[in-house]
Amino acid sequence: MAPKPVIMSVDDDPSVLRAIARDLRSQYGEQYRILRADSGAAALEALQELKQRNDPVALFLVDQRMPQLSGVEFLTRAVTLYPDAKRALLTAYADTEAAINAINAAAVHYYLLKPWDPPEEKLYPILDDLLDDWQGSYRPPFSGIRIIGHRWSPEAHVLKDFLARNQIPYQYLDVERDPEASQTLIEVQAQDQGLPVVILPAGELLVRPSPNDVAQKIGLRTQAVNSFYDLAIVGGGPAGLAAAVYGASEGLKTVLIEREAPGGQAGTSSRIENYLGFPSGLSGGELARRATVQAKRFGVEFLTPQEAVSVQLDGPYRLIQLADGSQISCHALIVAAGLAYRKLDVPGAAGLTGAGVYYGASVTEVSACQSQDVYIIGAGNSAGQAALYLVEFAANVTLLVRGDSLEAKMSQYLVDRIYDHPRIHVRLQSQISAVQGEGRIESVTICNEVSGQEETCPAAALFIFIGAMPNTGWLPSEVKRDSHGFVLTGPQLLLENGKLPKEWPLDRDPFLLESSVPGIFVVGDVRSNSVKRVASAVGEGSIAVQFVHQYLAKLK
């Protein structure tokens, strides 16, 4: 809820200050917050705090005759912080001439004479007019997190992406493009500190914070409430979220550990159009938001941002070591850790990551594409969805594909729409050989795979979808993987003769989604030979809970 606008009264006479505050509260207390100060200096200090919290001020009602700082002097300084606030002087009859001069010299809107009794006749009608006028142009200030940074700052990009993917509203102010940014830095006395600066709703400043720093301040949970859970899930993509919903709804004490934000890579997708039940499509972020709310309603405990760094086996227990040094244990573990984007290994790309070079189609950076040319590397559905999304903002989108066909890896509905769009261009058998720019991306060099010919083209942004590697390095060696690091499950664990490996300790076959370690199940993209689609991931996450129940029943 947005804070009430402030009416501030300032007077060095305690009895007058109490009386004016009483009358203001009686008439305006429901709509406005009434603050009082006994000196101009104290009032300015309070204004600094209000400004740092981005709280609005509607009206100053200030006594003219105050020691150290007169009413006019105070208003002259206050107007630099709140230029739109209405300004009224409270004066004695002898100060009438000074008050009239102040209207011209200090842009005071009105002056009132002491005493103001009865207020219904001498105070409220005047203030009503001033406040009505203020309300006519008032726009409630943004009351959430504010980030101030440079447009091409990798650190700012990481913070924006983190907050957006965690469904946390924020306002971004660019020091190069938003006049409000520099003014805000001055107002919160952070103009000489490093960027980015994060201003929390309560006014606290964080200078160049990490996502974890922000997470701790805004109340995201990174430490577990309990030490033991029936079911732990590592990874908050569609597979992990589905497992969490079904596990908790069926009575399992469930915790989900996600190192970045719920939704995983799917959460960065601009639009998913082939997911059952959503004929108009929905964004990955919206799917993640709905699933997260659903899981929390059933009592799932979310730890994010938090990362599992190792797993130890202790009889029927699986002990999960977390990045902060803490540990939780569980009977059943579902691995839904997903994939990590493969990095583009060409000159210039690493140094410009977050400054025009992005992995995934980050919705937080569409401003970088406004009416400019952007490039996408990739031939899968994610790349196709990104092209259709980005072309809504960019002048032109060029899709670079190493293969000789777009249809080989992309759904036909996306292929058709891409070729039909006049501002999306597809270059087959092409790849990026270099990225250029000073502090931000400026151009890319494209190499034709067949002819070897290179061409350097201006670029405002480069979005990369060149495959990914499974996040399985944290799993114990007992969990068998294929040659690419994807986890083997169920029938994939059988030897060529159809028998189980000697390491398998039980007299039953592994369940369909069970790894080579009983009680550790694997779902979604991280599983060997899985179908890389959102619907498949959701299906696997849901089915895995059935096998978890069967496994837990055997432990009793």
Side-chain angles (χ1 to χ4, degrees):
M1 178 182 292
K4 290 181 181 180
V6 168
I7 295 177
M8 177 175 280
S9 60
V10 187
D11 200 305
D12 65 316
D13 186 324
S15 60
V16 173
L17 189 60
R18 284 194 300 270
I20 191 68
R22 177 202 63 212
D23 288 343
L24 291 174
R25 195 168 288 112
S26 173
Q27 181 72 1
Y28 304 109
E30 289 188 9
Q31 286 184 278
Y32 298 88
R33 185 155 55 116
I34 311 303
L35 296 183
R36 56 184 182 177
D38 59 6
S39 70
L44 286 173
E45 186 175 339
L47 282 184
Q48 287 285 358
E49 294 180 6
L50 291 172
K51 193 64 180 181
Q52 195 153 316
R53 295 197 301 265
N54 216 23
D55 290 355
V57 175
L59 172 71
F60 296 112
L61 183 55
V62 184
D63 181 48
Q64 167 59 10
R65 285 195 178 186
M66 294 189 295
Q68 282 99 34
L69 203 65
S70 71
V72 170
E73 290 170 335
F74 164 77
L75 289 173
T76 301
R77 294 171 63 174
V79 75
T80 62
L81 294 172
Y82 286 95
D84 298 325
K86 296 301 177 181
R87 300 174 288 279
L89 274 179
L90 194 59
T91 69
Y93 180 78
D95 295 325
T96 300
E97 186 174 346
I100 293 173
N101 291 334
I103 293 176
N104 298 322
V108 172
H109 296 107
Y110 210 93
Y111 72 90
L112 298 98
L113 295 176
K114 301 177 184 180
W116 58 88
D117 291 325
E120 291 77 10
E121 294 179 13
K122 298 185 177 181
L123 179 66
Y124 298 151
I126 296 166
L127 298 189
D128 285 347
D129 285 345
L130 291 174
L131 291 170
D132 285 347
D133 190 28
W134 180 83
Q135 286 282 2
S137 59
Y138 168 61
R139 298 293 179 269
F142 182 77
S143 58
I145 295 171
R146 289 173 287 165
I147 302 174
I148 303 175
H150 292 286
R151 176 184 179 188
W152 301 107
S153 163
E155 293 92 345
H157 165 71
V158 168
L159 291 172
K160 290 187 291 179
D161 194 56
F162 169 75
L163 292 173
R165 293 181 61 194
N166 278 281
Q167 312 291 329
I168 298 168
Y170 70 91
Q171 179 186 46
Y172 179 66
L173 299 173
D174 191 311
V175 292
E176 297 172 1
R177 304 166 67 184
D178 300 316
E180 184 184 347
S182 298
Q183 182 61 33
T184 301
L185 287 173
I186 294 172
E187 291 166 352
V188 300
Q189 300 177 3
Q191 66 270 31
D192 296 326
Q193 303 191 49
L195 294 176
V197 166
V198 173
I199 307 174
L200 301 176
E204 184 178 358
L205 293 178
L206 302 177
V207 179
R208 304 189 70 179
S210 69
N212 276 4
D213 295 333
V214 177
Q216 292 176 10
K217 292 293 185 180
I218 62 178
L220 290 180
R221 178 175 291 170
T222 59
Q223 294 187 329
V225 173
N226 303 297
S227 59
F228 172 80
Y229 297 84
D230 299 318
L231 172 63
I233 302 165
V234 175
L241 288 168
V245 167
Y246 280 88
S249 68
E250 295 175 10
L252 299 178
K253 187 163 68 173
T254 303
V255 62
L256 186 148
I257 303 159
E258 166 54 45
R259 64 178 183 171
E260 293 180 350
Q265 286 190 14
T268 68
S269 178
S270 53
R271 184 147 299 271
I272 302 169
E273 296 187 80
N274 59 353
Y275 189 63
L276 184 66
F278 294 88
S280 299
L282 79 168
S283 70
E286 178 62 13
L287 177 63
R289 184 192 67 80
R290 291 171 182 243
T292 300
V293 170
Q294 192 174 19
K296 288 181 176 179
R297 187 167 68 87
F298 287 121
V300 176
E301 184 180 330
F302 279 77
L303 304 184
T304 179
Q306 184 58 275
E307 185 175 4
V309 295
S310 67
V311 178
Q312 296 177 0
L313 309 177
D314 183 12
Y317 300 101
R318 281 76 187 98
L319 309 179
I320 305 171
Q321 191 75 27
L322 302 179
D324 65 357
S326 61
Q327 186 182 79
I328 60 174
S329 65
C330 61
H331 277 325
L333 168 64
I334 291 180
V335 177
L339 309 176
Y341 284 116
R342 197 181 303 276
K343 301 301 182 183
L344 180 65
D345 187 16
V346 302
L352 295 175
T353 299
V357 175
Y358 306 112
Y359 289 87
S362 174
V363 297
T364 61
E365 302 301 344
V366 293
S367 61
C369 309
Q370 201 71 40
S371 303
Q372 299 184 72
D373 293 344
V374 303
Y375 291 79
I376 297 172
I377 307 175
N381 276 11
S382 295
Q385 291 160 351
L388 292 168
Y389 173 69
L390 293 169
V391 79
E392 297 178 20
F393 307 91
N396 294 282
V397 173
T398 300
L399 196 59
L400 302 170
V401 179
R402 291 191 65 177
D404 57 7
S405 168
L406 197 57
E407 289 85 350
K409 296 182 179 180
M410 191 180 294
S411 297
Q412 191 62 45
Y413 81 96
L414 288 172
V415 174
D416 293 340
R417 290 177 62 190
I418 284 170
Y419 277 122
D420 286 344
H421 201 291
R423 292 188 289 110
I424 299 179
H425 314 287
V426 179
R427 295 181 62 160
L428 301 175
Q429 298 178 314
S430 300
Q431 63 175 322
I432 296 287
S433 58
V435 180
Q436 296 87 19
E438 290 294 328
R440 66 178 181 87
I441 191 171
E442 296 172 1
S443 62
V444 295
T445 299
I446 304 168
C447 177
N448 184 281
E449 294 269 88
V450 177
S451 66
Q453 184 176 355
E454 291 190 333
E455 177 186 5
T456 298
C457 305
L462 174 65
F463 297 90
I464 302 169
F465 301 85
I466 56 173
M469 301 181 66
N471 289 318
T472 56
W474 57 281
L475 290 171
S477 60
E478 291 89 342
V479 176
K480 302 299 182 185
R481 282 152 271 195
D482 64 19
S483 58
H484 299 289
F486 293 88
V487 181
L488 300 169
T489 58
Q492 297 171 339
L493 294 168
L494 297 177
L495 302 175
E496 291 184 1
N497 59 9
K499 295 183 178 181
L500 287 165
K502 62 181 180 180
E503 296 88 358
W504 179 254
L506 304 180
D507 58 0
R508 63 164 176 83
D509 287 354
F511 293 126
L512 179 63
L513 299 172
E514 194 170 22
S515 73
S516 54
V517 174
I520 297 182
F521 300 85
V522 184
V523 296
D525 290 353
V526 75
R527 191 176 67 82
S528 181
N529 292 329
S530 65
V531 178
K532 306 298 189 283
R533 292 288 186 269
V534 172
S536 300
V538 169
E540 290 187 10
S542 306
I543 294 170
V545 174
Q546 173 190 344
F547 299 125
V548 168
H549 280 295
Q550 294 180 44
Y551 172 76
L552 294 176
K554 299 280 188 181
L555 291 179
K556 295 180 180 178

